[in-house]
Amino acid sequence: GMQSHLQALLSLYKLFCPEQVTITLPGKMKTYFKNSEGPWKAAITAVRQRNQGTSPLSQAVFLGTCQPQSRKRKWNAQLVIPASSKNTNNLKGDKENNHVHLFSTNESFPVEQLRTFPQLLQNIHCLEFPSQMGSVLTHPLLLHYMNCVKDESIYLRLYYWMGQMLQEECTWCVVDNPDEEEFKSFLETIYKAECFLQEGFSACEEFLYKTLPLWDGLCCRSAVLRLVSWIPPSSFSDIKSYLYDPLAQLFFTSSIYFKCSVLESLKELLHNWLNCNVIQVDLEFSS
């Protein structure tokens, strides 16, 4: 007899090729396959709402997710965050000397007092990282610290924070987020941090792979293409599916300026990959 998963497969065939399935299938059955058109429907709805300017949707639409996300930002969840340490009691220390003793293990140096590179060198063993990781992106000394320490917990905290902010603020995936300039500035800040570190963020890579199929090629174009140039080296199949194919659809239907911008971004991507490979070879040779 007919089994439920076979009926679901036949119903999927009948949806796309009705002439191939001649038997009668029940109208109600368990859903076994996720609707692949979800992201496109979400993108079309977002464009329609922006163009009409009436009856705005009450919930955010991001990559076809069904869970509504509130666009009311918390009072302390701005995109550009000032550096602040986790323990505010540390601010009661010696503000004139702005340093701690070299062999002190019980004290930590608050990030609010970090002003110069010598301070960073003197207190790097007891530096207290900020409570909100977003402040790292605009703090050159903390970026230096990330390069020196290579603490996995720091990168994980930054990964989760950045991934959430990119998802909630993306102007072409979230219906009721019209502030394109603020999001563009946020992307520019991420790009500058990547240039400083000379490596791309994994959260940014995932964001590009998820949202490029929905991108119109216009919104925050310069910032998006700059981020593309810092995608970490990965397999060709992933690059082709998640990067080349979405860009190719826009490439063949866009202006000469856009074509040149894409080629420039891919050239910079190749340049960064070659530099990364040279550094890796040098490290292996020296070891």
Side-chain angles (χ1 to χ4, degrees), residues 5 22 43 46 81 95 97 106 113 121 166 174 209 242 278-279:
H5 57 276
T22 58
I81 303 173
K95 295 184 178 180
N97 296 328
N106 295 327
Q113 298 181 13
L121 295 180
L166 287 170
V174 179
Y209 285 167
Y242 299 119
V278 169
I279 294 174

Side-chain angles (χ1 to χ4, degrees), residues 189-207:
T189 301
I190 296 177
Y191 170 73
K192 292 178 181 178
E194 290 181 331
C195 292
F196 190 96
L197 296 172
Q198 289 295 291
E199 62 178 327
F201 295 112
S202 56
C204 189
E205 177 188 13
E206 292 182 5
F207 163 74

Side-chain angles (χ1 to χ4, degrees), residues 66-101:
C66 59
Q67 293 295 332
Q69 297 180 358
S70 175
R71 292 292 308 140
K72 293 182 179 179
R73 192 180 297 163
K74 296 180 180 179
W75 66 272
N76 63 343
Q78 63 270 26
L79 295 182
V80 179
I81 303 173
S84 61
S85 57
K86 291 179 287 186
N87 188 0
T88 55
N89 294 329
N90 290 329
L91 295 179
K92 299 178 181 179
D94 188 359
K95 295 184 178 180
E96 295 180 356
N97 296 328
N98 283 343
H99 72 276
V100 296
H101 296 293

Side-chain angles (χ1 to χ4, degrees), residues 33-76:
F33 303 98
K34 184 179 179 180
N35 185 6
S36 60
E37 298 178 353
W40 289 108
K41 290 182 178 178
I44 292 172
T45 302
V47 172
R48 183 177 297 146
Q49 291 296 331
R50 283 201 301 264
N51 293 338
Q52 292 179 351
T54 57
S55 302
L57 295 182
S58 60
Q59 65 178 16
V61 181
F62 181 81
L63 296 181
T65 54
C66 59
Q67 293 295 332
Q69 297 180 358
S70 175
R71 292 292 308 140
K72 293 182 179 179
R73 192 180 297 163
K74 296 180 180 179
W75 66 272
N76 63 343

Side-chain angles (χ1 to χ4, degrees), residues 172 211-219 221 224-225 247 250 258:
W172 61 87
T211 59
L212 280 179
L214 307 178
W215 186 45
D216 58 4
L218 298 175
C219 184
R221 177 169 57 194
V224 171
L225 293 179
L247 288 179
L250 296 170
F258 181 83

